[in-house]
Amino acid sequence: MDFKVLFVHPLDSGLKAYVKVDEKIYYITFQTKKSSAEFTVYSESEKDKLLKHSKLRQELLSKFMLFLKQHKEDIKVGIYIDESPEAFNKIFKLNKLKKISSGSLDVEFSILDDQYTITNLIVMRRKNNIFIDDSRAYFKHINENCFCENIKHNHGIDNFEHCLVLIEHLDTILKWIQGEYKNKYITNNASNIIQFPTN
């Protein structure tokens, strides 16, 4: 079985995940109810067909539980994002990618249904390589009920305006933004890009 976890995201009382098994996408939900826990597995390619008591379901859940155990450090603020084009295409949606006259970049996007913005990114180019400087950027969730607010509240973080989801997964998100920027602007005359000397 060729098994790969593409995405893990928390729910109010559990989690949801997208996994790839032998070129097919499945999604898993995990809900805790009082003293019990319940996994549900759906096949995306078969019109969200529910997988019940099958050998595939058992293998899939076994591998998924092993993944959760082995990748605790990669699941930051409850989220894991695989850095692959298939994961990026599945979970990210670009709403706005705008160059500002100052040379900065504003991005508005969603991760599934959650909306985010990153403003004041600086794009730098050396030959065909693109670099994004986030040192002056501002990271914000548009949805006021972003679950990171509960994390802040539970840990007494009152004076931190940035979104924890964006902060914790910044490298992965910037990698995706870099690809989107190349797709949109790299063939155009990049007048707002800082050019480094080549020697």
Side-chain angles (χ1 to χ4, degrees):
M1 176 189 284
D2 183 17
F3 177 86
K4 185 178 187 180
V5 175
L6 302 179
F7 180 63
V8 177
H9 192 284
L11 299 172
D12 289 339
S13 58
L15 59 81
K16 58 184 174 184
Y18 285 92
V19 299
K20 185 178 180 182
V21 179
D22 299 333
E23 302 304 315
K24 291 186 177 180
I25 303 292
Y26 298 86
Y27 58 95
I28 300 169
T29 61
F30 171 70
Q31 297 281 348
T32 55
K33 298 178 180 179
K34 294 183 179 179
S35 60
S36 65
E38 180 180 323
F39 279 100
T40 308
V41 182
Y42 296 90
S43 169
E44 184 185 63
S45 61
E46 299 176 23
K47 298 181 179 178
D48 297 340
K49 180 181 177 182
L50 177 65
L51 297 184
K52 295 186 178 178
H53 304 291
S54 68
K55 184 178 179 181
L56 172 62
R57 181 183 187 276
Q58 291 174 344
E59 282 188 63
L60 191 153
L61 289 178
S62 176
K63 287 183 178 292
F64 181 63
M65 293 300 290
L66 183 62
F67 171 87
L68 293 179
K69 186 182 293 185
Q70 292 177 341
H71 291 79
K72 287 181 180 178
E73 293 184 3
D74 298 323
I75 304 174
K76 301 170 184 175
V77 290
I79 290 179
Y80 169 82
I81 304 171
D82 183 63
E83 291 188 356
S84 65
E86 57 194 339
F88 287 173
N89 291 336
K90 184 70 190 166
I91 66 167
F92 285 113
K93 180 183 176 185
L94 182 65
N95 299 324
K96 184 177 76 172
L97 184 69
K98 184 178 180 182
K99 287 196 291 186
I100 310 301
S101 58
S102 62
S104 65
L105 185 71
D106 289 352
V107 187
E108 185 176 310
F109 62 96
S110 59
I111 300 176
L112 295 188
D113 295 328
D114 297 321
Q115 305 286 321
Y116 302 95
T117 61
I118 304 178
T119 56
N120 207 31
L121 291 168
I122 305 299
V123 180
M124 299 173 285
R125 180 178 177 183
R126 183 173 183 178
K127 293 184 178 179
N128 291 325
N129 293 322
I130 296 293
F131 304 94
I132 298 179
D133 176 9
D134 61 277
S135 60
R136 291 180 285 170
Y138 187 79
F139 312 93
K140 184 179 180 182
H141 47 248
I142 297 175
N143 299 20
E144 291 301 322
N145 61 345
C146 179
F147 70 92
C148 94
E149 289 296 331
N150 289 332
I151 296 173
K152 291 179 186 179
H153 177 73
N154 293 337
H155 289 82
I157 305 172
D158 299 321
N159 58 350
F160 190 75
E161 296 181 46
H162 297 305
C163 176
L164 293 178
V165 175
L166 299 182
I167 295 293
E168 290 295 330
H169 293 278
L170 185 58
D171 289 345
T172 301
I173 292 168
L174 290 181
K175 183 177 179 180
W176 170 72
I177 291 172
Q178 190 173 352
E180 294 296 314
Y181 185 93
K182 287 179 179 178
N183 290 340
K184 184 170 183 179
Y185 292 117
I186 199 67
T187 57
N188 299 333
N189 179 21
S191 58
N192 287 334
I193 299 179
I194 301 169
Q195 296 282 352
F196 286 119
T198 56
N199 53 3

